Amino acid sequence: MASATTDGDDVVLELIDPSAVQNELRPEKVTSISTSGVESWNLGLLLQSPSVKVRANRNRQVVFTDQLVEQSAYFRGLLCGSFSESSLAHVSIQWNLEALVHVLQFIHGFQLHITSNNFLLILEAALYFGVERLLLECESWFQRMTLAEGQQIPMDTVIEAWNFGLEQGVGFVPELCKGYLARNFVAASRCIDKPCCYANKLQKKAWVTSSSSFPDIPYDLLHSCIEHPLLTLDSERHLCEALLIWLSNNRRSSQCSSDDSKFDILRKVRIALLPLEFAAGLRRDFSQLGEEAICTILDLMKDSFSIILAALVGDKLDNFRIRLTEYSEKISLAGCIHITALFLFLMVLPSDLDMTAKKRMVLSELDNSTANNRYVLGKSLMTMSYKSVREMDISKCPKLHFGSAVKWLLLAFPSLSILRASYCSQLKIEDLYCLLQKFPMITEVDMTVDTSPFLLAKVSVISTSIDKYRVASTTPYAILEENSLLLDVAKASLENLAMSNISKLTLEGRNDINDLDLMKISALCGSLSYLSIKGCTMVTDMGISKLISKCIHIKSLILSYTSFGKSSVGVLCSDLLSTSNFTEDSNHKYSCTMAFRLQQLHIDGCKGIDQNSISQLMCHTYMLKILMLRETTVTDDALYDFLGSFLESLDVSETMVSMQALTSIVRRNPGIRCLKATGCTKLNQHDTSDLASAVIANYKGYLFELTQHCILEEVAFGWGFSILSVEELVPLSRLRCITIGLGASPGHHVLCMLPKMCPLLESVILIFQVISDSIFRSIQESLKNLKVLRLCCCLGDLTSFACKISMPQLRVLRLEWVTPWMTNNDLAVLTKNCPNVVEFSLSGCKLLDSASQEIISNGWPGLTFIHLEECGKITLDGVSFLFNCIAIEDFLLRHNGKGIERNFIYQAASKLPLLRKLALDLCDACEGGFDSPSHAERCFLSTVTISRCKSQKCAFDSQTMEAFRSVHKETIVIEWDCKEARTTVVKERI
């Protein structure tokens, strides 16, 4: 039992909050608490007082005193005579009151609740009062927080903790901060499909780099994070973008006041892993880095093996290794046109191998004679495996052959579930079957290629020729017989194959697939819920219907511009689900049909479906969220038959629907966010004889439905929308995309007010409208996030002032037949005020000349899309500077000057590695024509379009040289896929 204490051992500890001293707050009555009842301390009540008195005793036989002395170096010195205040009966301690009370409670054995808000306060108190056990508790908590999966600590807290740790010499804090920042530099990105603006896929960016505090990260922390072995990235591009953002916000900071310090951190970027498009864009503001990256990429395209072997000898192999850690979930190599299977091999190569072993492995990868042994060799060397990686993007990587790549992907990413391989023309449908068998966990595959240019145009074919070419198979092991034509053979070949778990399959634009391939897919992919075969012209309605009948879990069908028709509608509307194990809770009479459960249906451009079939389909669909009926035979009756109320996106453009039917469907679907109705000429037709009142009544009724019942984010208007007023724009303030097309006449005042009334607009497209400088002034004042601007065939008093408008966020700029006055000077001003444009189209600018090429290439070196038509004499002296825009994917030159050489197609394909689409006109050929490239010479090209004109006599002028003018005669279209080259001649211009 403790002995009695004397009053001489008593001491009063007055805990004073520094803020109270600063504000001179001295309460009349000081709060006093007893050490014998720590468990009863009311923290909320204590913090209401600027000071608290705690009566303690110097006698260590008192439990509270013994704990203070035992656990706190500060109180040990104070109560045991080491301090000058030790003899005083009253001692004042100025410290954050909340933190100090927490310390006292922790010393007394109470559980401490540490949060990101009080962590530094408690850590600082633990340091000052010398509570070692509390320091360990803080370290343990911070370690748990920084290592916890999915845990997001505010960036401000991380920065503050880093600075505190350095200032106070607390070693574990900076170490955990840089490790946490490195692991969370890029969180796993998940694409969220939205039906509005909804053509774009929004990416959820990593919280670190999207944080508003990212530019505030200290240089030392950022530098340490980049050099951390656990730096986790989606792609090297993401790292470079983040560093450029940081540098642009710290341009005047002492941390990067010199060019050397700026490029010191940029040198950490592995430029050999940057996409060509991104590297090209760097040349505008970071010319040195951009040029170095482009040269490296082009050199790797020519001879990657020699370069990597030299790096191996020079111990610089890390410059070519894709960053992977145990926390990696997604890897993107999209646009890295130089990437080969050798880069994938380096992923699995252990970094701790000696030089001899590394060299032997690299050489074996390139030695075809060891092809059968490489897989075994990789297994024997304990190759690296990253089971956390779920998603891989190899889009636009034409040099990455599937056969040699799949084995390394299988070793590196055994849990791969998503593979994106769009615009890889070297991939065949047989590669898909192989992939599904080798990766049992795969759930999503995207093998999109460019769609045929004929899909969006009505053409009259003059002639067609097909040139089949044999290409060495890139798949080392055959899973299905490639040339099997008989159905029973196809079925037999599938018996030994395991069912795939794939649920989302995108094969857009693939003309190398047919009905037999659809049958194989249906046999392998029973769990398919999303299928896109948009533009697959070789499949028939019967083939589509058989696939649908086998894949009964499908909820999203993207069948645009296919042969989808009566047979497929019949399957969708039949009671297939009543005979299966599928259960449906709804009591609706059509609930056992697949159509009832569909959530997405794209049948735009499907000419094989008649009015009766569409009406039948609409009667059965109920749960649809996205419905695309563009260019179909849909009628008012079909829209009235549609009973669903969940629509979020609707497109009835280029159809014969009426205003009444459209109003009806909008009224039943208040959740619509995207509505497109351009080219609907029947929208402004009425049966009543009183046309004026009918127009007003219908328009106002329709706009009332829009503004009162729908929160629209994207609209496309045409015929039938002619009396929009400013007042009716008020409820549309959340619009992000708007298209006002032919037939719509909103009025000049409405167009001027549009940016002010809809400040969130990111895309504005005006076709056949009356525009002026006032509209551009309004855009500059209100649309700070405008990314897309297209003006086509617009009239008005637009002047060169439009080129002086600053639009720093603009990415797509198309000025088609609206700026005939544009000069080279105007074009130069435009490039300065819109510095981030990547897609540029210009038509009808007769005053431009060959100097415009240099202006465009210097101002926008990262362009991926260039269309120049009827632009003076731009190509009169040939094409030179435009080749500096090395990332061009879509290139059109028509009627810009007779100076393009005969071998231009080959030059363009070889100098522009990403080029897929090229359109020319024989009028511009200085030697009378163009040479068609061979399969090997075409590189990445998928489509070449050549227009041909003829001379036609003008009926109004028969006396001068101008009596004859050039008019279009025909178009030659060459298309390549993985199996054949198809040449088609059509009458129309494409």
Side-chain angles (χ1 to χ4, degrees):
M1 181 177 293
S3 60
T5 61
T6 63
D7 291 341
D9 291 331
D10 289 343
V11 59
V12 176
L13 305 177
E14 185 174 5
L15 315 181
I16 303 175
D17 198 301
S19 59
V21 177
Q22 184 177 357
N23 298 325
E24 299 182 352
L25 298 175
R26 302 296 294 178
E28 295 180 0
K29 184 177 181 180
V30 178
T31 302
S32 298
I33 55 178
S34 170
T35 59
S36 60
V38 179
E39 67 280 357
S40 63
W41 289 1
N42 188 326
L43 183 60
L45 183 63
L46 294 178
L47 295 181
Q48 294 178 6
S49 175
S51 68
V52 174
K53 287 185 177 181
V54 180
R55 182 175 296 277
N57 195 285
R58 292 187 175 88
N59 193 328
R60 291 199 58 178
Q61 293 183 355
V62 177
V63 174
F64 185 81
T65 303
D66 184 59
Q67 290 176 337
L68 283 179
V69 172
E70 184 69 27
Q71 298 189 41
S72 169
Y74 174 88
F75 287 111
R76 188 181 309 120
L78 180 65
L79 299 177
C80 295
S82 300
F83 294 171
S84 58
E85 297 93 341
S86 298
S87 58
L88 300 179
H90 184 281
V91 178
S92 297
I93 303 174
Q94 291 189 21
W95 200 261
N96 179 277
L97 196 56
E98 179 182 359
L100 187 49
V101 172
H102 277 311
V103 169
L104 294 178
Q105 288 182 319
F106 178 81
I107 290 175
H108 198 68
F110 280 82
Q111 185 68 32
L112 190 59
H113 181 59
I114 303 177
T115 66
S116 57
N117 293 326
N118 65 17
F119 166 66
L120 290 181
L121 287 175
I122 294 175
L123 177 60
E124 187 177 15
L127 284 171
Y128 183 82
F129 292 103
V131 185
E132 190 67 28
R133 195 164 62 90
L134 183 54
L135 283 173
L136 294 175
E137 179 69 19
C138 289
E139 180 178 0
S140 176
W141 177 87
F142 198 49
Q143 189 173 32
R144 289 197 307 272
M145 287 291 291
T146 54
L147 294 177
E149 185 176 352
Q151 182 67 44
Q152 293 185 1
I153 305 174
M155 180 56 65
D156 291 336
T157 301
V158 176
I159 295 172
E160 188 179 0
W162 165 271
N163 291 329
F164 175 84
L166 291 182
E167 293 169 0
Q168 302 296 328
V170 186
F172 75 85
V173 174
E175 283 298 318
L176 291 175
C177 282
K178 66 182 182 183
Y180 175 77
L181 187 61
R183 288 188 299 274
N184 293 275
F185 202 84
V186 176
S189 299
R190 294 184 177 92
C191 290
I192 305 173
D193 290 322
K194 284 191 174 280
C196 182
C197 263
Y198 279 16
N200 300 325
K201 290 193 174 180
L202 304 179
Q203 246 185 358
K204 185 181 180 182
K205 296 217 172 188
W207 72 272
V208 169
T209 51
S210 62
S211 169
S212 59
S213 301
F214 179 75
D216 299 329
I217 295 177
Y219 177 86
D220 290 339
L221 174 56
L222 186 60
H223 194 277
S224 300
C225 166
I226 296 171
E227 292 191 324
H228 199 281
L230 293 181
L231 176 63
T232 304
L233 301 171
D234 283 357
S235 66
E236 206 67 21
R237 172 179 183 160
H238 190 103
L239 172 63
C240 193
E241 284 178 331
L243 296 182
L244 294 177
I245 291 173
W246 188 90
L247 286 171
S248 64
N249 284 274
N250 291 274
R251 196 176 298 272
R252 298 180 180 179
S253 170
S254 59
Q255 301 180 90
C256 55
S257 56
S258 65
D259 289 339
D260 289 339
S261 59
K262 294 177 186 177
F263 283 99
D264 178 58
I265 197 168
L266 285 176
R267 288 191 187 99
K268 304 299 180 182
V269 176
R270 299 175 182 177
I271 58 176
L273 300 174
L274 289 177
L276 181 60
E277 170 200 346
F278 180 73
L282 289 175
R283 291 194 301 187
R284 179 183 174 98
D285 298 315
F286 295 87
S287 57
Q288 181 180 337
L289 179 64
E291 289 294 342
E292 185 180 350
I294 289 175
C295 290
T296 301
I297 292 170
L298 296 181
D299 289 342
L300 285 167
M301 288 188 65
K302 296 175 184 176
D303 188 2
S304 60
F305 172 63
S306 297
I307 295 174
I308 291 178
L309 193 59
L312 177 61
V313 174
D315 198 23
K316 296 182 179 179
L317 199 59
D318 282 348
N319 293 335
F320 302 92
R321 292 178 69 113
I322 300 166
R323 297 183 198 259
L324 286 165
T325 72
E326 59 188 280
Y327 301 96
S328 298
E329 296 182 3
K330 174 185 175 182
I331 300 298
S332 175
L333 299 174
C336 296
I337 197 168
H338 54 290
I339 291 292
T340 64
L342 184 56
F343 286 83
L344 302 185
F345 164 72
L346 295 179
M347 292 190 310
V348 301
L349 191 64
S351 57
D352 57 352
L353 283 179
D354 58 61
M355 185 69 67
T356 303
K358 285 183 181 179
K359 190 172 182 178
R360 179 165 56 88
M361 284 291 290
V362 172
L363 288 172
S364 69
E365 172 60 16
L366 271 295
D367 185 0
N368 292 328
S369 64
T370 62
N372 297 327
N373 300 323
R374 278 178 276 169
Y375 185 84
V376 178
L377 181 61
K379 296 281 283 186
S380 65
L381 281 175
M382 299 299 292
T383 52
M384 303 291 290
S385 180
Y386 304 91
K387 296 183 180 180
S388 60
V389 174
R390 298 288 188 272
E391 182 176 347
M392 181 79 172
D393 192 342
I394 54 172
S395 301
K396 300 179 187 177
C397 295
K399 294 178 74 67
L400 189 60
H401 297 295
F402 182 82
S404 55
V406 68
K407 63 180 178 299
W408 301 125
L409 289 178
L410 187 59
L411 284 174
F413 312 132
S415 302
L416 189 69
S417 59
I418 299 175
L419 179 67
R420 307 189 191 282
S422 56
Y423 305 107
C424 292
S425 57
Q426 78 279 13
L427 295 184
K428 298 187 294 185
I429 191 65
E430 289 76 18
D431 296 327
L432 171 65
Y433 308 145
C434 175
L435 181 74
L436 297 182
Q437 293 299 296
K438 289 296 179 180
F439 291 89
M441 295 183 66
I442 203 85
T443 60
E444 180 178 342
V445 177
D446 185 351
M447 293 176 62
T448 296
V449 295
D450 290 307
T451 55
S452 172
F454 300 125
L455 292 183
L456 302 179
K458 298 177 181 179
V459 297
S460 303
V461 178
I462 299 174
S463 65
T464 301
S465 64
I466 297 176
D467 179 22
K468 291 186 177 294
Y469 41 77
R470 291 192 62 82
V471 182
S473 175
T474 58
T475 307
Y477 24 73
I479 290 187
L480 295 173
E481 190 62 33
E482 196 166 332
N483 298 315
S484 177
L485 299 177
L486 299 175
L487 190 59
D488 55 345
V489 175
K491 288 182 177 179
S493 66
L494 293 169
E495 290 177 355
N496 297 325
L497 298 180
M499 285 289 289
S500 167
N501 290 315
I502 190 169
S503 59
K504 184 173 183 179
L505 179 60
T506 304
L507 300 172
E508 181 177 330
R510 301 202 69 97
N511 285 328
D512 59 323
I513 66 172
N514 52 33
D515 289 355
L516 182 58
D517 293 308
L518 292 187
M519 179 158 287
K520 293 174 183 178
I521 290 172
S522 65
L524 290 173
C525 310
S527 58
L528 205 61
S529 63
Y530 176 103
L531 175 67
S532 174
I533 53 172
K534 176 181 178 181
C536 296
T537 56
M538 302 305 292
V539 299
T540 67
D541 182 31
M542 185 60 65
I544 296 173
S545 66
K546 288 184 177 180
L547 179 141
I548 294 174
S549 66
K550 297 291 184 182
C551 302
I552 62 174
H553 297 284
I554 284 184
K555 293 186 177 180
S556 297
L557 281 171
I558 317 301
L559 306 171
S560 311
Y561 300 98
T562 64
S563 298
F564 175 82
K566 187 175 181 180
S567 298
S568 299
V569 171
V571 173
L572 285 173
C573 297
S574 63
D575 294 339
L576 276 178
L577 304 182
S578 61
T579 59
S580 67
N581 295 325
F582 187 88
T583 57
E584 177 62 58
D585 295 334
S586 175
N587 294 321
H588 195 281
K589 63 178 180 178
Y590 297 131
S591 62
C592 290
T593 67
M594 292 180 65
F596 182 86
R597 295 167 46 248
L598 283 179
Q599 296 183 3
Q600 282 192 67
L601 180 61
H602 295 228
I603 55 173
D604 40 316
C606 294
K607 305 302 182 184
I609 181 169
D610 56 25
Q611 295 180 5
N612 292 333
S613 296
I614 292 182
S615 295
Q616 180 187 5
L617 188 58
M618 292 297 99
C619 286
H620 288 74
T621 51
Y622 181 74
M623 302 180 71
L624 277 177
K625 294 182 178 180
I626 302 176
L627 178 60
M628 300 295 166
L629 299 171
R630 184 186 186 95
E631 298 179 32
T632 62
T633 57
V634 63
T635 61
D636 288 357
D637 290 339
L639 291 189
Y640 287 129
D641 289 338
F642 179 71
L643 300 179
S645 58
F646 304 101
L647 276 182
E648 297 176 3
S649 181
L650 174 65
D651 187 354
V652 293
S653 299
E654 308 294 335
T655 63
M656 297 302 293
V657 299
S658 69
M659 185 70 79
Q660 292 88 342
L662 194 55
T663 303
S664 173
I665 200 169
V666 170
R667 183 183 300 116
R668 297 195 304 272
N669 292 270
I672 287 180
R673 297 292 179 265
C674 173
L675 179 62
K676 297 181 180 180
T678 58
C680 300
T681 56
K682 196 177 176 183
L683 285 179
N684 61 349
Q685 295 179 6
H686 307 276
D687 297 330
T688 179
S689 58
D690 188 0
L691 292 180
S693 60
V695 169
I696 294 174
N698 280 279
Y699 289 164
K700 287 190 174 180
Y702 177 65
L703 290 172
F704 175 81
E705 300 294 341
L706 286 180
T707 57
Q708 299 300 319
H709 296 286
C710 298
I711 305 176
L712 288 169
E713 296 179 12
E714 181 177 3
V715 294
F717 294 149
W719 295 102
F721 301 88
S722 303
I723 59 169
L724 286 173
S725 66
V726 174
E727 291 75 17
E728 289 163 338
L729 284 176
V730 174
L732 302 178
S733 60
R734 297 180 65 175
L735 275 181
R736 295 186 178 274
C737 303
I738 188 169
T739 298
I740 302 179
L742 178 63
S745 303
H748 183 264
H749 180 57
V750 172
L751 287 180
C752 289
M753 292 299 295
L754 181 66
K756 297 179 180 178
M757 306 301 291
C758 307
L760 300 178
L761 279 172
E762 297 178 1
S763 175
V764 175
I765 300 175
L766 304 178
I767 304 173
F768 286 99
Q769 300 300 311
V770 178
I771 59 177
S772 67
D773 290 347
S774 301
I775 295 175
F776 273 82
R777 289 192 183 93
S778 182
I779 287 175
Q780 183 183 33
E781 294 171 359
S782 304
L783 302 185
K784 304 302 182 183
N785 294 312
L786 187 65
K787 295 179 176 61
V788 178
L789 177 62
R790 182 189 177 196
L791 306 177
C792 179
C793 302
C794 294
L795 304 176
D797 57 348
L798 193 67
T799 69
S800 59
F801 172 81
C803 299
K804 300 175 183 177
I805 299 298
S806 176
M807 293 180 281
Q809 301 298 322
L810 197 67
R811 303 285 288 172
V812 178
L813 177 60
R814 301 188 181 182
L815 304 175
E816 300 163 356
W817 309 103
V818 294
T819 55
W821 39 261
M822 182 175 286
T823 64
N824 287 344
N825 289 334
D826 296 326
L827 184 59
V829 172
L830 187 64
T831 61
K832 292 179 181 178
N833 288 305
C834 306
N836 295 309
V837 169
V838 294
E839 293 188 17
F840 179 60
S841 177
L842 196 62
S843 304
C845 300
K846 300 284 189 178
L847 303 179
L848 299 179
D849 57 32
S850 56
S852 301
Q853 290 191 43
E854 187 174 6
I855 294 172
I856 292 173
S857 62
N858 289 340
W860 297 314
L863 283 176
T864 62
F865 178 105
I866 299 181
H867 281 199
L868 300 174
E869 184 172 3
E870 300 284 358
C871 288
K873 303 176 181 179
I874 285 183
T875 60
L876 186 62
D877 297 327
V879 178
S880 55
F881 285 102
L882 288 180
F883 285 145
N884 292 336
C885 298
I886 199 170
I888 297 175
E889 300 176 16
D890 192 325
F891 201 7
L892 182 147
L893 296 172
R894 282 178 178 165
H895 292 177
N896 301 303
K898 198 179 184 74
I900 302 181
E901 298 177 354
R902 174 175 287 275
N903 67 343
F904 178 78
I905 299 177
Y906 170 73
Q907 285 187 21
S910 58
K911 293 182 178 180
L912 304 174
L914 286 169
L915 184 64
R916 303 196 315 277
K917 298 181 180 181
L918 178 62
L920 302 170
D921 198 298
L922 287 176
C923 294
D924 296 332
C926 64
E927 300 176 58
F930 301 108
D931 293 332
S932 176
S934 65
H935 169 67
E937 293 173 336
R938 74 181 180 94
C939 300
F940 203 19
L941 270 176
S942 64
T943 306
V944 171
T945 304
I946 303 175
S947 299
R948 179 184 296 169
C949 296
K950 63 181 179 180
S951 295
Q952 179 173 298
K953 188 175 182 179
C954 180
F956 299 100
D957 188 353
S958 60
Q959 304 298 324
T960 67
M961 293 294 293
E962 297 178 356
F964 292 88
R965 61 190 181 93
S966 294
V967 295
H968 178 75
K969 179 184 179 182
E970 60 191 15
T971 302
I972 305 168
V973 180
I974 308 173
E975 300 175 89
W976 289 273
D977 60 27
C978 62
K979 294 182 179 180
E980 63 187 23
R982 180 186 296 266
T983 302
T984 308
V985 181
V986 298
K987 291 182 179 180
E988 293 77 13
R989 192 177 209 187
I990 297 178

